[in-house]
Amino acid sequence: MAHLELTGLCKAYGAICIADRMSLSVPEAQVLGIIGPNGAGKSSLFNMISGDVQPDAGTISISGRDTTGLPSRRLAKLGVGRTYQIPRPFGGMTVFENLLVAARFAGGLGASDARKKCGEVLEATELSHLTDETAGGLRLLDRKRLELSRALVTDPELLLLDEIAGGLTDAECISLVAFIGELNKAGITILWIEHVLHALIEVAHRVIAVNAGQILADGSAEDVMASKDVREIYLGSAEALA
Amino acid sequence: MSIDLKMTVSGCIRVLVAVTAIASLPFVLATANIRLGTEILILLNLAMLWNLLAGYAGLVSVGQQAFVGLGAYATWMALVWFGFPFWIAVAAGALAAGLAASAFAPFLFRLQGATFAIGTWVMAEISLLVIANTSAVGGGAGVSVPARIAREIAPDRAGRESAIFWTALMVALVVLLSSYLLMRSRWGLALTAMRDEPTASEAVGINTRQVAVSIFLAVAVLTGAVGGLILLAKLRITPDSAFSLFDWTAYTIFIVVIGGIGRLEGPIIGTAVFFTLRVLLADFGPVYLIILGVLGIAVMLFAPKGIWGAVQTRTAFSALPVNWPFRSIAIQPNLKIPAEETKQ
Ligand SMILES: Nc1ncnc2c1ncn2[C@@H]1O[C@H](COP(=O)(O)OP(=O)(O)O)[C@@H](O)[C@H]1O
Ligand SMILES: [Mg+2]
């Protein structure tokens, strides 16, 4: 059974089409890379999967269960974790509290288990030095790390990552890729929207390219990058593939 | 855990000492000063409640006077029509305010941000108009508590003022303690998360509407009880005085903003500053209000976290810590190291 199944998904914002009868099946424990130009509707696709936004038509199912129309808080409890492209920290709370609230609610953990879990995740995402800092004062890269950490404390089975590698140094990028690989080895299905293609290619088992509500190409990273449609969209940015 | 516990225990002791001291005030003060004490407690209560709503949950209401007024009138009805003891009458005021809040909530919670604030003001105006046009509760002329019933609270004036003072103190304790426990619980985390980022709050499993409505109702109930206290303290109310935007909401907002919004200590500091100014500037008439306004603006510009916020950033001190410090718990493994060393 597929972990995530989209069938005939449609969504439009006025004249802007985000999904046009889009269908997609993601097996368990796959790392699916998602590429496409800005404004293609990638983040909006995540919004629909995570329940932040409801599709106009079509169905979404997770592990065989129809989750279309469920609010994000229900999906969070059903094992969907996500990061936002533009981070959404709880600005007036500390980094630790940001994680704690996610672990207590979406994670369903009791007080002491939640604290333990948050400590472990902060260690793993290298944020422990900022534990008691106010989240609103973090710089962008740390905010992105916080997004990832907050998603991880809920023990997600399906993880949606929206452009988390931008702005990282090469060394940081390598360790992020290794980290995502480890998460995947632990059995987490990962959908990763990323413009930093060399990082994405390292871990993605499969890549899809989307534009104007359509999936233009679907296959191995090499095949998708080689496809004519994709090259046309990334017109002039072919060097990004190198 | 031990550091956490120590902070809690020392916090409790501080609060206990303060409460005992305050509770014994009626034995030493003149009646007029007991009255002032009650007035201070009433505004402190309203400030703590408004802080919970606006400071912690991000629900900026400018219509809390609706619940003060309804609480006051319901308390009057319970006292005069049904002859209940005064503390049951105050509970009836609380209940009435809660019922009114649950009637208004379905409309209010369709609104967000500034429109929510306007909605709460409309709510207060509607409540005032309904009461002012109900002849059974005196219409625009208002109602008073007959001397016979006032004497049931306590036979003499000093005894009555003391009884009301202690009731106000009890309500203050309930409000402070429940705010503290709330903020230490996961629901406190949910409130602040919702205030900071509603979308992300839902994404981490919080039912933001449920949390917002619950806190709104709880605050309304306690605000209704304060309304009951106001009736007892004044013994005479009119729609204009019971539903006064100025007395019950504008001063309250001033107190919370200068004291420190979103901090439990804020309303306490703010109330102290407010009454100190009032005493100092008593002879200046309307100039007093101008000075209050200027002070409010100055604090907002130069110390946006209020007086307590400014103290806290400079000293990292918190009398009533409600945040969740991580280090005190997480560094437990380190605490074990000395034990192992002594073994060797
Ligand atoms: N809530 C919204 N209301 C109106 N338009 C939106 C909304 N969210 C996204 N859009 C539009 O949908 C398009 C796709 O946005 P997005 O999903 O963020 O693209 P991507 O992540 O692929 O860059 C953009 O043109 C954006 O302006
Ligand atoms: Mg995007």
Side-chain angles (χ1 to χ4, degrees):
Chain A
M1 193 203 312
H3 193 166
L4 173 70
E5 185 99 47
L6 310 180
T7 325
L9 207 62
C10 294
K11 177 79 191 175
Y13 285 117
I16 304 166
C17 179
I18 301 301
D20 181 11
R21 276 160 291 154
M22 191 184 277
S23 293
L24 176 71
S25 177
V26 186
E28 262 175 41
Q30 184 171 71
V31 179
L32 174 71
I34 302 175
I35 62 170
N38 277 328
K42 306 179 296 296
S43 299
S44 302
L45 184 64
F46 274 12
N47 286 344
M48 286 190 275
I49 298 171
S50 69
D52 284 29
V53 162
Q54 301 305 331
D56 297 336
T59 60
I60 301 169
S61 61
I62 291 170
S63 304
R65 171 178 177 169
D66 186 353
T67 60
T68 323
L70 290 187
S72 60
R73 60 173 183 272
R74 291 286 308 281
L75 285 155
K77 287 176 186 158
L78 290 173
V80 180
R82 72 163 298 173
T83 70
Y84 289 95
Q85 180 181 349
I86 299 164
R88 291 176 177 272
F90 304 126
M93 300 165 74
T94 66
V95 166
F96 185 65
E97 288 167 336
N98 267 260
L99 268 58
L100 194 60
V101 67
R104 298 286 320 255
F105 282 86
L109 297 177
S112 65
D113 287 348
R115 284 174 170 235
K116 199 162 143 255
K117 179 83 194 174
C118 296
E120 286 165 10
V121 168
L122 285 172
E123 205 64 52
T125 54
E126 293 169 15
L127 264 184
S128 347
H129 61 296
L130 297 174
T131 302
D132 288 336
E133 294 296 317
T134 306
L138 299 184
R139 50 189 195 119
L140 181 63
L141 287 183
D142 291 325
R143 283 169 184 242
K144 287 193 176 187
R145 243 181 252 252
L146 176 59
E147 284 284 315
L148 176 60
S149 313
R150 197 172 63 188
L152 289 178
V153 293
T154 68
D155 261 332
E157 290 161 1
L158 176 65
L159 183 58
L160 312 175
L161 304 175
D162 198 346
E163 302 196 20
I164 57 169
L168 296 182
T169 66
D170 285 347
E172 286 169 332
C173 213
I174 290 168
S175 78
L176 176 67
V177 164
F179 184 62
I180 291 174
E182 274 172 42
L183 293 176
N184 175 241
K185 277 206 203 76
I188 303 178
T189 308
I190 298 170
L191 272 62
W192 186 7
I193 297 172
E194 194 49 79
H195 282 307
V196 184
L197 297 179
H198 64 85
L200 188 65
I201 290 168
E202 289 290 322
V203 280
H205 300 124
R206 173 187 168 197
V207 171
I208 60 171
V210 297
N211 192 28
Q214 307 275 350
I215 296 177
L216 296 181
D218 181 347
S220 71
E222 297 80 43
D223 292 349
V224 169
M225 300 306 171
S227 108
K228 195 165 147 290
D229 287 340
V230 174
R231 291 204 159 256
E232 265 169 28
I233 293 168
Y234 276 86
L235 194 74
S237 64
E239 58 276 5
L241 304 184
Chain B
M1 223 35 200
S2 65
I3 297 173
D4 225 27
L5 199 68
K6 245 185 233 163
M7 287 198 303
T8 313
V9 169
S10 72
C12 284
I13 292 173
R14 268 197 290 258
V15 170
L16 242 135
V17 170
V19 169
T20 320
I22 296 169
S24 45
L25 283 179
F27 298 115
V28 292
L29 291 181
T31 309
N33 289 333
I34 302 175
R35 268 192 85 79
L36 177 64
T38 305
E39 210 184 324
I40 292 174
L41 285 171
I42 283 170
L43 267 192
L44 173 65
N45 280 327
L46 291 176
M48 288 195 290
L49 289 166
W50 191 80
N51 185 38
L52 211 51
L53 205 57
Y56 282 105
L59 296 169
V60 179
S61 167
V62 293
Q64 292 308 97
Q65 67 276 17
F67 305 123
V68 173
L70 292 172
Y73 271 91
T75 303
W76 179 84
M77 289 179 215
L79 272 179
V80 177
W81 290 355
F82 302 106
F84 286 139
F86 77 96
W87 50 277
I88 293 188
V90 169
L95 182 69
L99 289 176
S102 42
F104 283 117
F107 302 100
L108 285 177
F109 284 91
R110 286 162 187 239
L111 311 172
Q112 261 142 25
T115 49
F116 176 86
I118 294 168
T120 57
W121 177 73
V122 171
M123 164 183 85
E125 288 298 300
I126 291 174
S127 308
L128 181 147
L129 285 174
V130 168
I131 295 293
N133 287 294
T134 306
S135 52
V137 290
V143 288
S144 41
V145 178
R148 168 182 57 82
I149 290 174
R151 269 195 298 277
E152 276 168 22
I153 298 173
D156 63 335
R157 174 117 192 266
R160 194 172 67 237
E161 296 294 356
S162 306
I164 295 164
F165 178 88
W166 285 318
T167 316
L169 185 61
M170 284 271 286
V171 174
L173 277 182
V174 169
V175 173
L176 188 64
L177 195 70
S178 49
S179 311
Y180 181 74
L181 292 177
L182 174 71
M183 295 322 295
R184 296 284 313 185
S185 79
R186 69 190 187 119
W187 297 105
L189 286 172
L191 278 185
T192 36
M194 180 184 77
R195 172 199 68 191
D196 288 351
E197 236 303 338
T199 308
S201 301
E202 287 274 333
V204 299
I206 298 166
N207 187 340
T208 52
R209 195 188 154 96
Q210 184 195 12
V211 170
V213 172
S214 310
I215 191 74
F216 180 73
L217 294 183
V219 165
V221 164
L222 290 166
T223 306
V226 179
L229 292 174
I230 289 168
L231 172 80
L232 295 178
K234 289 181 181 287
L235 294 179
R236 163 155 189 79
I237 48 170
T238 63
D240 285 334
S241 69
F243 292 89
S244 168
L245 169 69
F246 225 90
D247 292 344
W248 314 132
T249 301
Y251 285 154
T252 298
I253 295 176
F254 172 84
I255 286 173
V256 175
V257 168
I258 61 165
I261 191 167
R263 285 155 183 76
L264 287 186
E265 298 90 342
I268 302 175
I269 304 291
T271 307
V273 172
F274 177 78
F275 279 93
T276 309
L277 284 176
R278 215 181 70 169
V279 170
L280 290 179
L281 304 175
D283 300 333
F284 290 86
V287 176
Y288 157 64
L289 288 177
I290 296 172
I291 294 179
L292 278 195
V294 169
L295 183 72
I297 292 168
V299 168
M300 275 190 260
L301 286 178
F302 301 113
K305 293 172 181 172
I307 295 171
W308 190 253
V311 170
Q312 234 178 346
T313 30
R314 278 175 188 72
T315 63
F317 173 75
S318 182
L320 299 165
V322 290
N323 61 332
W324 298 81
F326 172 65
R327 299 230 153 77
S328 54
I329 313 99
I331 302 186
Q332 263 185 357
N334 289 355
L335 297 176
K336 288 192 189 113
I337 293 170
E340 277 160 23
E341 279 170 355
T342 47
K343 239 185 271 168
Q344 286 171 352

